[in-house]
Amino acid sequence: MDFSYTDEQQMLLDTARRFVGERYPFEYRQRVRDSAEGWSRETWLRLADLGLLALNVPESEGGLGAGPIETMLVCNALGEGLLLEPYVGSAVVATSVIAELGSPHQRQRWLPHLASGEVVALLAHDEPDSGDDFARVQTRARREGEHWRLDGRKSQVYHAPAANLLLVSARTEDDVLAVFAVPTNVPGVHLAAQKTVDDQCAANVHLDGAQVEADARLGADAQGALRNALDAGLAALCADAFGAMDKAFATTVDYCRSRTQFGAPIGTFQSLQHRMADMLMRLEEARAMSYLAASACSHSDLAERRAALAAAKALMGQCARHIGQQAIQLHGGMGMTDELAISHYFKRLIAFEFRNGSTDQHLRDYRKQLRAA
Amino acid sequence: MDFSYTDEQQMLLDTARRFVGERYPFEYRQRVRDSAEGWSRETWLRLADLGLLALNVPESEGGLGAGPIETMLVCNALGEGLLLEPYVGSAVVATSVIAELGSPHQRQRWLPHLASGEVVALLAHDEPDSGDDFARVQTRARREGEHWRLDGRKSQVYHAPAANLLLVSARTEDDVLAVFAVPTNVPGVHLAAQKTVDDQCAANVHLDGAQVEADARLGADAQGALRNALDAGLAALCADAFGAMDKAFATTVDYCRSRTQFGAPIGTFQSLQHRMADMLMRLEEARAMSYLAASACSHSDLAERRAALAAAKALMGQCARHIGQQAIQLHGGMGMTDELAISHYFKRLIAFEFRNGSTDQHLRDYRKQLRAA
Amino acid sequence: MNLNFDSQQLAFRDELRAFLRDHLPADIRTRMRDGDHSHIREDISDWQKILHRQGWGAPAWPKEFGGPGWSKPQQYIFDVECALADAPEQLAFGLKMVGPVIMRYGNAEQQQRFLPRIVAADDWWCQGYSEPGSGSDLASLRTRAERAGNDYIVNGQKVWNTLGQFANWIFCLVRTGNGGKPQQGISFLLIDMRTPGVKVQPTRLLDGGFEVNEIWFENVRVPMGNLIGEENRGWTYAKFLLGHERSNVAGIGAIKRELLRLKQIAARTQGETASLLHDPIFATRIAQVEIELRALEIISLRAMFEAERNSAPGPEASILKTRGTEIRQRISELQIDALGEAALTIAPRIDDDTPRAMLDYLNLRKLSIFGGSNEIQRNIIAQRILGL
Amino acid sequence: MNLNFDSQQLAFRDELRAFLRDHLPADIRTRMRDGDHSHIREDISDWQKILHRQGWGAPAWPKEFGGPGWSKPQQYIFDVECALADAPEQLAFGLKMVGPVIMRYGNAEQQQRFLPRIVAADDWWCQGYSEPGSGSDLASLRTRAERAGNDYIVNGQKVWNTLGQFANWIFCLVRTGNGGKPQQGISFLLIDMRTPGVKVQPTRLLDGGFEVNEIWFENVRVPMGNLIGEENRGWTYAKFLLGHERSNVAGIGAIKRELLRLKQIAARTQGETASLLHDPIFATRIAQVEIELRALEIISLRAMFEAERNSAPGPEASILKTRGTEIRQRISELQIDALGEAALTIAPRIDDDTPRAMLDYLNLRKLSIFGGSNEIQRNIIAQRILGL
């Protein structure tokens, strides 16, 4: 049992925090938000320069080969900074998929470019009808000579408009779950972009006879690697959300300390003090669960891992709602405006509640594995 | 739409309240509680003298022939007084069963004695396996010459040890739901008394070949009358609970006004003020739902009636828990003692939560009849 | 005691329903249903004019000032039916706020000048109460009006002026006196927004919409004839207004409409084993809020009954405001919960409810903040009802 | 960062489990499991003696005073395993409260006189803090100790003395000085309860049980040698004690035990379509509380880790106390909810859990009241952690 960070971990956190503080202050973030793309390639390359995009790239491909704790710390900082760039999707999930599934050749082909920021890759996995079974994939991959032909639909791929590479899950003719590296400029790949509540972009992806080379298939049976990558991504998303909650709470306490009504800072009113005490308790719960997610997401016992992640996401979703709503309420009218950062933390936390399985879904998953002893 | 009481209704409420204030103060109530019987026949006869036991006796049998609103008002007052006597069970439910099902002869035989207090009658209906269907009765009634023979088990009949007459529901050989008037001293009737959390007595009733005369059967098919009586009883129980909540809340506000800590009455602390504001809102909800229960319990549209009663009992159960718990909390250590009335209100409200269908059961019943439009 | 409307009231309700079916324009109804505020100015104005032609432009006003002379239950029924029919909400600032103040405290000239134009939708009023430093603590306001001949010169800033970007008149609390308690020295002033020196700046809200404004007054010249009642007695009029603003404050009609919408979303959304409307867990949440709504409706009717029998609405309005907003916010939460991940998409439109549900959720956070935050309401309940 | 115990710690846990299996007497375990307090005095004493024989009588004490020299994680594991095994809770008043004060502030004579008797269960201590007029506001206490030669003469009344009816010693806060802030002039005094003038009266609680007492002091003569530290500095010692009292304050072990009991009740109770453990609605409530417990356990471990690395437990203990009691109370609620109407019967016994569940529910209301109410804890969190 050890709750300390190694020196390297602490340095990583400091690096990411310093980046946010110096290069990604709220005003800059809002300019990125208002830009046509909605994200910043300049920022992306800065993250690459800092080595943060190489975090989950194995050392064999020149990366840092770091683990879930390091990812958690970086994502904490990026959540604090309300980062608009696809860090979790590309630098955690997609990177993990290629690192685990790819042949040496494929790894060499993609991972250095992911680390350098030239390639933004995203996993396109969920489908409109996938329901609760993550392995239920209806997208089909058919071998046609030297190519694979992909047909299907993928839903709400976060950040998809920013990607130049999609990792598409599909079932082959012998019903194996496989993953294909699909450049977004391949004919037959169509993106229907959507704006989301947290000022990000998602897209439904339509694959209508999209053709990729034989070598585009990553590994053989992808089910285990997909589960691993999705779980690593879930833990990273939890860390991002914890960063946002932490900052939303601190901002709220500061506001209540400085905002004066009836001749006193509103933070001196007992009912608001107790409200903030409740928020702090939820924040500590969220921190604990973010630790749990990072600690469990690579656990080899799949049942235990899934239960821990379900517990973490469900409770953190509830904490996110509580802290977000109370942060707005305690900011009063100012919390309703687009101008202050607080409403943007609120909206990021709403997105967290529903992404990668909603609070209700994870609570249900946890409930279903309850045993009497 | 009219929220006023008639003069007669107001007089009835005043009468019942005056009785509680003068004849049933808390100290007296506690002496009754500590007595061997756990209820007071003296009090019962006083209620008879005031005409309150005749409230639901039809005018044709010399009663007041009053309705659910009058019953509500009387039960409000009796709940305020933490009455230990079986008013709802005998003077509302059992009286209604006999009034609706009985032949003129049977009505004449029992109702005047119920009104005078000589007979305490209770409906023994629920069974260990009755589940959700109130008409599911496994107690059997077999005709044997000039008698009926009853066999079965009835569970948790509140106040049963105080009764000298049980109204036992049973299925006849042709599977009709019937009700029989069974004096408790008939051989084959066994009561297993239990103490309940609210200092009352309940009993499981075992009928092992209990024999009653042919004339003991009340009416023919009893299903409708049972439903009506149980619903009248449910509304009356809600009214009793509202009386208890009302008093528990008022007592708590008074306590917070007088109890001083840190040099000020604790009622001046904002967090406690807001807590009491919440309690008041729950109290007003409970009042509204008690009105709804009284207004709907004799409604001819059974689906609408059942939905309204389910709504009322479910929400009032929640209000009862909230107000009861907060009342104890705000009384601090004093709330934990047997000495003050507040813990007895708390315990009466707990019993309310679970009697005549728990909060969860009624919420489920309400949920099942939800429609989209 | 009887919780139900009588047959006359039910007939009145049927009459309203027929009227709404026949006279509420389909395009307005559709925009309101979809949460489309692109024509909100015209939609509110047009609907007000339609009501005015019917003689129903000011449902709560006495006949002498152009009202229909309805009883409180009739006004309540009107409110509920309009909301259920997706009619635009009538603008409260003229009808429910400054109008009653002018009736009660304005002089005859002011009454003749302003009241008919409110009912006819000729004027669009907004409210000038809050300031950057005074939100909950209204009495600390600092906008000043100084006498200059027969005029006041007004300087200061107001915030949170709902729909003020469309307004041509604003009623303001301004400071005309010094010293004493902060409530003293406040006056109630009507200001023509086309006067030089008035500047309006819409505020972008978290849902991307523009519904509140900041308004600056820089040496704005206001005739003394625009003062309501006596100078320095504005706090009295403001308090009267706050009481008046809060009839049917629970907003039962809109809550019922949104509950219906929630049930429709739930009915067409697949849950674990059945639609969410029949999913044990989700349906229980709907049942819970529907039951709470039933209670709130009875509480509202009772408050209305007591108000009609006795006097002006009392602090009980704080209960209605608090519970009404809590339930409305809860329903909004359940709408996004029912939609799940689909709720995150706010543009482009996926179907009728999805984008609206999330934007509503964001926007309705205001309910527990504006109009006296729910914390202030609980203070009022504790102090004025419970005497703590 | 690593949330799991290491192999040594797990081996320690296994050793404890074996010890508990072999040495906790079956009759004591049964009575504790059934909530049967008829022999509580003997059960606590006997178990303490068994632990003492093993050298584990004072798990948190340093070796020099008779402790086993365990690390904080070992103490934590001991706490949890004992609770899970239905062992009687060790008496906190000697071990966790007055003991540490004597170690820190007592003189050598006091240490030699009192400490060994605590570990050996020769003395039974109770706490004399609260008074009728001073509950949350402890500093307003009025019990007085006046000097008379080499003695103090004590007069006053204490309340809420848990298990004081079995105690032969009480540690008291008494007023020895006047003036200044109320925290000044308070002394920390040890009183032999067999001294003439001490009267103990058990208080009947709402669950019918007698676990707290009122204690009166009428001219009770106490030797000055029973004063801890300096006169008038008792508030300092009391604050130290409050901090110390709160190691493993979340009570994780007891919560886990009761959660297990809840699941067992749920598993054998029929719900709508399956047992309550598999009923979507009820199982969700269990899942919720189990998840909250998982979080609380990590928070506890982290607080312990930080405390071991840094210093004494800080105000974070207020978080553990608040959440621990909330979750424990919630599980108790769920137990009676699972039992339904059967929970109402408290006597005679129907089966193992039914009467106990309701009596626990009543009794555990105290958790959010005693030991610093949860309102006080929230004040502490806001003021000392958040600096508001």
Side-chain angles (χ1 to χ4, degrees):
Chain A
M1 202 198 67
D2 181 358
F3 284 83
S4 62
Y5 304 142
T6 64
D7 291 347
E8 291 74 17
Q9 289 170 341
Q10 188 62 51
M11 268 176 52
L12 201 56
L13 176 59
D14 294 343
T15 300
R17 282 220 170 112
R18 200 176 320 114
F19 157 76
V20 166
E22 293 170 6
R23 299 293 192 163
Y24 213 81
F26 180 62
E27 302 66 33
Y28 176 82
R29 189 260 185 196
Q30 292 306 75
R31 281 203 301 281
V32 172
R33 192 270 305 251
D34 293 333
S35 69
E37 296 75 25
W39 69 292
S40 155
R41 198 169 294 276
E42 180 193 23
T43 294
W44 197 244
L45 296 176
R46 278 208 183 103
L47 291 171
D49 287 346
L50 291 171
L52 297 181
L53 299 186
L55 197 68
N56 282 280
V57 172
E59 289 174 279
S60 51
E61 273 75 30
L64 301 180
I69 307 299
E70 288 77 14
T71 304
M72 176 186 86
L73 295 172
V74 171
C75 289
N76 281 166
L78 303 184
E80 291 170 10
L82 290 167
L83 203 83
L84 291 161
E85 288 66 31
Y87 189 83
V88 173
S90 182
V92 180
V93 178
T95 299
S96 303
V97 170
I98 296 174
E100 183 169 347
L101 275 182
S103 65
H105 173 71
Q106 289 167 326
R107 290 153 59 116
Q108 204 53 54
R109 175 169 172 197
W110 295 115
L111 292 174
H113 300 291
L114 280 162
S116 72
E118 288 159 78
V119 172
V120 172
L122 292 169
L123 176 64
H125 174 64
D126 286 344
E127 302 189 354
D129 295 318
S130 41
D132 297 333
D133 180 8
F134 102 102
R136 183 162 170 222
V137 165
Q138 295 188 310
T139 298
R140 314 304 307 182
R142 211 167 61 220
R143 191 63 187 258
E144 291 189 341
E146 287 307 290
H147 295 91
W148 288 96
R149 178 197 158 97
L150 300 170
D151 289 280
R153 303 185 59 169
K154 298 291 180 177
S155 53
Q156 280 195 310
V157 181
Y158 246 71
H159 300 291
N164 36 25
L165 183 70
L166 294 177
L167 306 181
V168 176
S169 60
R171 293 230 163 240
T172 59
E173 281 159 297
D174 49 353
D175 204 35
V176 171
L177 186 54
V179 171
F180 299 84
V182 183
T184 49
N185 58 6
V186 162
V189 176
H190 307 283
L191 267 58
Q194 305 166 331
K195 201 180 145 200
T196 58
V197 63
D198 53 342
D199 287 321
Q200 313 246 13
C201 246
N204 290 325
V205 178
H206 299 244
L207 299 151
D208 295 323
Q211 243 187 19
V212 289
E213 323 152 30
D215 183 43
R217 178 169 175 182
L218 298 167
D221 186 336
Q223 183 155 338
L226 275 177
R227 181 75 277 163
N228 292 343
L230 287 169
D231 289 347
L234 183 54
L237 194 71
C238 286
D240 183 286
F242 175 71
M245 283 183 236
D246 197 11
K247 204 67 191 296
F249 177 62
T251 304
T252 301
V253 173
D254 283 347
Y255 183 83
C256 290
R257 216 177 258 133
S258 63
R259 169 77 173 170
T260 295
Q261 292 280 275
F262 304 106
I266 62 175
T268 61
F269 297 132
Q270 193 189 31
S271 74
L272 303 195
Q273 289 190 345
H274 284 201
R275 206 85 68 80
M276 282 181 269
D278 285 331
M279 290 172 78
L280 176 64
M281 288 190 270
R282 310 275 11 207
L283 184 72
E284 291 303 326
E285 287 183 327
R287 183 200 309 275
M289 287 322 233
S290 173
Y291 284 175
L292 178 64
S295 155
C297 72
S298 56
H299 203 300
S300 56
D301 180 332
L302 199 61
E304 212 173 289
R305 184 213 294 184
R306 297 301 305 152
L309 286 170
K313 179 63 163 63
L315 190 58
M316 288 188 74
Q318 295 170 348
C319 295
R321 182 169 293 190
H322 179 92
I323 291 173
Q325 288 183 349
Q326 289 303 321
I328 298 297
Q329 181 71 22
L330 291 173
H331 273 81
M334 289 309 294
M336 291 293 298
T337 67
D338 182 75
E339 185 190 336
L340 294 196
I342 196 67
S343 67
H344 300 279
Y345 285 108
F346 176 51
K347 292 193 281 189
R348 194 177 190 90
L349 292 174
I350 293 171
F352 169 72
E353 288 185 53
F354 291 100
R355 283 183 64 185
N356 293 35
S358 68
T359 303
D360 283 348
Q361 286 168 329
H362 283 287
L363 194 54
R364 183 197 57 213
D365 289 347
Y366 191 87
R367 176 251 295 175
K368 286 192 164 179
Q369 54 82 52
L370 281 181
R371 298 286 172 272
Chain B
M1 204 200 63
D2 181 359
F3 284 82
S4 63
Y5 304 143
T6 63
D7 290 347
E8 290 75 16
Q9 289 169 340
Q10 188 61 52
M11 269 175 52
L12 201 56
L13 177 59
D14 294 343
T15 300
R17 283 220 170 111
R18 200 174 320 115
F19 157 75
V20 165
E22 293 172 4
R23 299 294 192 163
Y24 213 80
F26 180 63
E27 302 68 32
Y28 177 84
R29 189 260 185 198
Q30 292 307 75
R31 280 203 302 279
V32 171
R33 192 268 306 249
D34 293 332
S35 69
E37 296 75 25
W39 69 292
S40 154
R41 196 169 295 276
E42 178 192 23
T43 295
W44 197 245
L45 296 176
R46 277 208 182 103
L47 292 171
D49 286 347
L50 291 170
L52 297 181
L53 299 186
L55 196 69
N56 281 281
V57 172
E59 289 175 281
S60 51
E61 273 76 30
L64 301 180
I69 307 299
E70 288 76 13
T71 303
M72 176 186 85
L73 295 172
V74 171
C75 289
N76 281 165
L78 302 185
E80 292 169 9
L82 290 167
L83 204 82
L84 291 161
E85 288 67 30
Y87 189 83
V88 173
S90 183
V92 180
V93 178
T95 299
S96 300
V97 170
I98 296 174
E100 185 170 344
L101 276 181
S103 66
H105 173 71
Q106 289 168 325
R107 291 153 58 115
Q108 205 51 55
R109 176 168 170 197
W110 296 114
L111 293 174
H113 299 291
L114 281 163
S116 71
E118 288 159 77
V119 172
V120 173
L122 292 169
L123 177 62
H125 174 63
D126 286 343
E127 301 187 355
D129 296 318
S130 42
D132 298 334
D133 180 8
F134 102 100
R136 182 159 171 225
V137 165
Q138 294 187 310
T139 297
R140 316 302 309 180
R142 210 167 64 219
R143 190 65 187 254
E144 291 190 341
E146 286 307 290
H147 295 89
W148 288 96
R149 177 197 159 97
L150 299 169
D151 289 280
R153 303 186 57 168
K154 298 291 181 179
S155 54
Q156 278 194 310
V157 181
Y158 245 71
H159 299 291
N164 37 24
L165 183 70
L166 294 176
L167 306 181
V168 175
S169 60
R171 292 228 164 244
T172 59
E173 280 157 299
D174 50 352
D175 205 35
V176 171
L177 185 55
V179 171
F180 298 85
V182 181
T184 49
N185 57 6
V186 162
V189 175
H190 307 284
L191 268 57
Q194 305 164 331
K195 201 179 145 200
T196 58
V197 63
D198 53 341
D199 287 321
Q200 313 246 11
C201 247
N204 290 326
V205 177
H206 298 244
L207 299 151
D208 293 323
Q211 245 190 18
V212 289
E213 327 154 26
D215 184 43
R217 177 170 176 181
L218 296 167
D221 187 336
Q223 183 155 339
L226 275 177
R227 182 75 274 162
N228 292 343
L230 287 169
D231 289 347
L234 182 55
L237 195 69
C238 287
D240 182 286
F242 176 71
M245 285 183 237
D246 197 9
K247 203 69 191 295
F249 177 62
T251 304
T252 301
V253 173
D254 282 347
Y255 182 82
C256 291
R257 216 177 260 131
S258 63
R259 166 79 174 169
T260 295
Q261 290 281 274
F262 304 105
I266 62 174
T268 61
F269 297 132
Q270 194 189 29
S271 73
L272 303 195
Q273 289 190 346
H274 284 201
R275 205 85 68 77
M276 282 182 269
D278 285 331
M279 289 172 78
L280 176 64
M281 289 190 269
R282 310 273 14 206
L283 184 72
E284 290 303 326
E285 287 184 325
R287 184 200 309 275
M289 287 323 235
S290 174
Y291 284 174
L292 179 64
S295 155
C297 72
S298 56
H299 204 300
S300 58
D301 180 331
L302 199 60
E304 213 173 289
R305 185 213 292 185
R306 296 301 305 152
L309 286 170
K313 179 63 162 62
L315 191 57
M316 289 188 73
Q318 295 170 346
C319 295
R321 182 170 293 192
H322 179 91
I323 291 172
Q325 289 183 349
Q326 290 301 322
I328 297 297
Q329 182 71 22
L330 291 172
H331 272 80
M334 289 309 295
M336 291 294 296
T337 66
D338 181 76
E339 182 190 338
L340 295 196
I342 197 65
S343 67
H344 300 278
Y345 285 109
F346 176 51
K347 293 193 279 187
R348 194 177 189 91
L349 292 175
I350 294 170
F352 170 72
E353 288 185 54
F354 292 100
R355 283 183 63 184
N356 293 34
S358 69
T359 302
D360 282 348
Q361 286 168 328
H362 283 287
L363 193 54
R364 184 196 57 212
D365 289 348
Y366 191 86
R367 176 251 294 177
K368 286 195 164 177
Q369 54 82 52
L370 282 181
R371 298 285 173 272
Chain C
M1 210 192 66
N2 180 357
L3 304 187
N4 303 309
F5 289 120
D6 63 28
S7 56
Q8 273 191 315
Q9 291 164 329
L10 292 176
F12 175 73
R13 187 188 67 184
D14 293 340
E15 184 192 350
L16 286 180
R17 286 185 179 172
F19 172 79
L20 283 158
R21 192 180 56 235
D22 297 341
H23 292 88
L24 174 59
D27 60 330
I28 297 185
R29 184 195 299 258
T30 302
R31 278 192 293 274
M32 292 303 108
R33 194 195 58 211
D34 296 348
D36 173 357
H37 288 190
S38 59
H39 297 66
I40 191 66
R41 176 185 201 155
E42 298 77 16
D43 289 345
I44 290 175
S45 245
D46 292 352
W47 176 236
Q48 178 65 28
K49 282 172 181 153
I50 293 167
L51 289 173
H52 179 46
R53 276 200 296 276
Q54 185 74 6
W56 297 349
W61 288 15
K63 277 195 161 170
E64 50 172 316
F65 292 117
W70 285 341
S71 67
K72 282 204 162 36
Q74 285 179 306
Q75 297 169 32
Y76 178 91
I77 293 168
F78 177 81
D79 244 48
V80 170
E81 294 303 323
C82 286
L84 286 176
D86 281 310
E89 214 177 311
Q90 288 180 277
L91 213 55
F93 309 103
L95 288 168
K96 297 187 177 178
M97 301 172 81
V98 76
V101 169
I102 294 174
M103 286 178 220
R104 174 75 182 269
Y105 298 105
N107 56 39
E109 194 204 318
Q110 290 168 332
Q111 289 172 351
Q112 284 153 25
R113 180 176 169 201
F114 292 112
L115 295 178
R117 294 179 56 85
I118 291 173
V119 192
D122 291 331
D123 286 334
W124 185 299
W125 283 86
C126 73
Q127 181 188 37
Y129 272 27
S130 295
E131 301 187 4
S134 59
S136 294
D137 180 13
L138 194 55
S140 67
L141 63 88
R142 291 182 304 182
T143 294
R144 292 205 60 86
E146 318 229 307
R147 289 274 279 274
N150 281 333
D151 293 335
Y152 288 105
I153 307 294
V154 179
N155 280 286
Q157 184 191 355
K158 296 289 180 179
V159 292
W160 313 129
N161 312 93
T162 300
L163 298 180
Q165 68 263 54
F166 308 130
N168 60 331
W169 279 91
I170 183 171
F171 58 93
C172 285
L173 293 182
V174 295
R175 194 159 291 287
T176 43
N178 281 322
K181 295 203 300 181
Q183 288 82 351
Q184 293 168 349
I186 290 174
S187 294
F188 196 106
L189 204 58
L190 313 180
I191 304 180
D192 185 336
M193 289 180 69
R194 285 157 308 193
T195 320
V198 177
K199 192 184 117 198
V200 178
Q201 171 76 49
T203 304
R204 184 173 174 182
L205 293 188
L206 79 174
D207 61 351
F210 294 91
E211 84 180 36
V212 300
N213 299 270
E214 292 182 88
I215 301 182
W216 287 266
F217 301 94
E218 201 185 326
N219 294 322
V220 175
R221 192 166 280 273
V222 180
M224 282 193 56
N226 289 7
L227 177 75
I228 292 288
E230 295 174 40
E231 203 179 74
N232 295 336
R233 297 214 43 205
W235 191 253
T236 307
Y237 316 145
K239 275 202 307 188
F240 165 80
L241 183 158
L242 286 173
H244 213 86
E245 181 191 355
R246 294 199 177 112
S247 68
N248 187 23
V249 67
I252 298 290
I255 299 177
K256 282 189 170 176
R257 183 189 66 221
E258 294 306 317
L259 177 61
L260 207 59
R261 195 186 303 274
L262 167 63
K263 287 175 165 182
Q264 287 159 357
I265 295 172
R268 64 161 196 266
T269 306
Q270 182 60 28
E272 211 171 323
T273 54
S275 83
L276 286 181
L277 190 64
H278 298 102
D279 172 86
I281 297 172
F282 202 84
T284 298
R285 296 188 199 153
I286 300 177
Q288 177 71 38
V289 77
E290 182 167 299
I291 290 173
E292 290 176 22
L293 171 59
R294 287 183 87 140
L296 182 63
E297 189 170 12
I298 296 170
I299 298 172
S300 290
L301 293 172
R302 179 163 177 259
M304 186 174 73
F305 180 83
E306 297 294 337
E308 188 152 66
R309 290 220 308 185
N310 304 325
S311 58
E316 291 75 17
S318 292
I319 293 177
L320 300 178
K321 196 271 181 182
T322 304
R323 289 299 294 149
T325 56
E326 286 175 351
I327 293 174
R328 181 91 186 270
Q329 288 181 332
R330 178 68 187 143
I331 291 171
S332 169
E333 269 187 305
L334 289 175
Q335 287 180 356
I336 60 169
D337 286 341
L339 289 165
E341 194 170 12
L344 295 183
T345 307
I346 57 170
R349 182 174 300 281
I350 292 182
D351 67 30
D352 280 349
D353 294 314
T354 312
R356 166 163 179 179
M358 181 55 82
L359 295 177
D360 274 0
Y361 174 68
L362 297 179
N363 185 268
L364 295 182
R365 302 317 308 166
K366 74 183 178 195
L367 293 181
S368 47
I369 296 173
F370 291 161
S373 73
N374 284 7
E375 288 82 10
I376 294 287
Q377 303 301 335
R378 284 188 167 80
N379 284 348
I380 294 173
I381 292 169
Q383 288 158 19
R384 295 208 213 138
I385 303 182
L386 301 178
L388 289 167
Chain D
M1 209 192 70
N2 180 358
L3 303 186
N4 303 308
F5 288 121
D6 62 29
S7 56
Q8 273 192 313
Q9 290 164 331
L10 292 176
F12 176 73
R13 188 187 67 186
D14 293 340
E15 183 193 349
L16 286 179
R17 285 186 181 171
F19 173 79
L20 284 157
R21 193 182 53 235
D22 297 340
H23 292 87
L24 174 59
D27 60 329
I28 297 184
R29 184 195 298 258
T30 303
R31 278 192 293 273
M32 291 304 107
R33 195 194 60 213
D34 296 349
D36 173 358
H37 288 191
S38 59
H39 297 66
I40 192 66
R41 176 185 202 157
E42 296 77 17
D43 289 345
I44 290 176
S45 244
D46 291 350
W47 177 234
Q48 178 65 28
K49 283 173 180 153
I50 292 167
L51 290 173
H52 179 47
R53 274 199 297 277
Q54 184 73 8
W56 297 350
W61 288 15
K63 278 195 162 172
E64 50 173 315
F65 293 118
W70 285 341
S71 68
K72 281 204 163 34
Q74 284 179 306
Q75 296 169 32
Y76 178 90
I77 292 169
F78 177 80
D79 244 48
V80 169
E81 293 305 322
C82 285
L84 286 176
D86 281 310
E89 216 176 310
Q90 289 179 276
L91 212 56
F93 309 104
L95 288 168
K96 298 186 177 179
M97 301 171 81
V98 77
V101 169
I102 293 175
M103 286 178 224
R104 175 74 181 269
Y105 299 104
N107 55 39
E109 193 204 319
Q110 289 167 334
Q111 290 173 352
Q112 283 153 23
R113 179 175 171 202
F114 291 112
L115 295 178
R117 295 180 56 85
I118 291 174
V119 193
D122 291 331
D123 286 335
W124 185 298
W125 283 85
C126 74
Q127 181 188 39
Y129 272 26
S130 296
E131 300 186 3
S134 60
S136 296
D137 181 11
L138 193 57
S140 68
L141 62 88
R142 291 183 301 182
T143 294
R144 292 204 61 86
E146 320 229 306
R147 290 272 278 274
N150 281 330
D151 294 335
Y152 288 104
I153 307 293
V154 179
N155 280 285
Q157 185 191 354
K158 296 289 179 180
V159 292
W160 314 129
N161 311 91
T162 300
L163 299 180
Q165 68 263 50
F166 308 131
N168 60 330
W169 279 92
I170 182 170
F171 58 93
C172 284
L173 292 181
V174 295
R175 195 161 288 289
T176 42
N178 280 321
K181 295 204 300 183
Q183 288 82 353
Q184 294 168 347
I186 290 175
S187 295
F188 195 105
L189 203 57
L190 314 182
I191 303 180
D192 184 335
M193 289 179 71
R194 285 157 307 192
T195 318
V198 178
K199 193 182 118 198
V200 179
Q201 171 77 50
T203 304
R204 183 172 176 181
L205 292 188
L206 80 173
D207 61 352
F210 293 91
E211 82 181 37
V212 298
N213 299 269
E214 292 181 89
I215 302 183
W216 286 266
F217 300 94
E218 203 184 324
N219 295 321
V220 174
R221 191 166 281 270
V222 180
M224 281 191 61
N226 289 7
L227 177 75
I228 291 288
E230 294 173 39
E231 203 179 71
N232 295 335
R233 297 212 46 202
W235 192 252
T236 307
Y237 316 145
K239 274 202 306 189
F240 165 81
L241 183 158
L242 286 172
H244 214 87
E245 182 189 357
R246 292 198 179 114
S247 67
N248 188 24
V249 67
I252 298 291
I255 299 177
K256 282 189 169 176
R257 183 189 65 220
E258 293 306 317
L259 177 60
L260 206 61
R261 195 186 302 274
L262 166 63
K263 286 175 164 183
Q264 288 160 356
I265 295 172
R268 63 161 197 263
T269 307
Q270 181 60 29
E272 211 171 325
T273 55
S275 84
L276 286 181
L277 189 64
H278 299 101
D279 174 86
I281 297 172
F282 202 83
T284 299
R285 295 188 200 152
I286 298 176
Q288 177 71 40
V289 78
E290 182 168 301
I291 290 172
E292 291 177 21
L293 170 59
R294 287 182 87 139
L296 182 63
E297 188 170 12
I298 297 170
I299 298 172
S300 292
L301 293 173
R302 180 164 176 259
M304 187 174 73
F305 180 82
E306 298 294 338
E308 189 152 62
R309 291 218 311 179
N310 305 325
S311 57
E316 293 73 18
S318 292
I319 294 177
L320 300 178
K321 197 271 180 179
T322 303
R323 289 299 294 149
T325 56
E326 285 175 352
I327 292 174
R328 180 92 188 267
Q329 288 181 333
R330 178 67 186 142
I331 291 172
S332 169
E333 269 186 304
L334 289 175
Q335 287 181 355
I336 62 170
D337 286 342
L339 289 165
E341 195 171 10
L344 295 182
T345 306
I346 55 170
R349 183 174 300 280
I350 290 181
D351 65 33
D352 280 349
D353 294 316
T354 313
R356 165 164 179 180
M358 180 56 81
L359 294 177
D360 274 359
Y361 174 69
L362 298 179
N363 184 268
L364 296 182
R365 303 318 304 166
K366 74 183 177 193
L367 292 181
S368 47
I369 297 174
F370 291 161
S373 74
N374 284 6
E375 289 81 11
I376 294 288
Q377 303 301 337
R378 284 187 167 79
N379 285 348
I380 293 173
I381 292 168
Q383 289 159 18
R384 294 206 216 144
I385 303 183
L386 302 177
L388 290 167

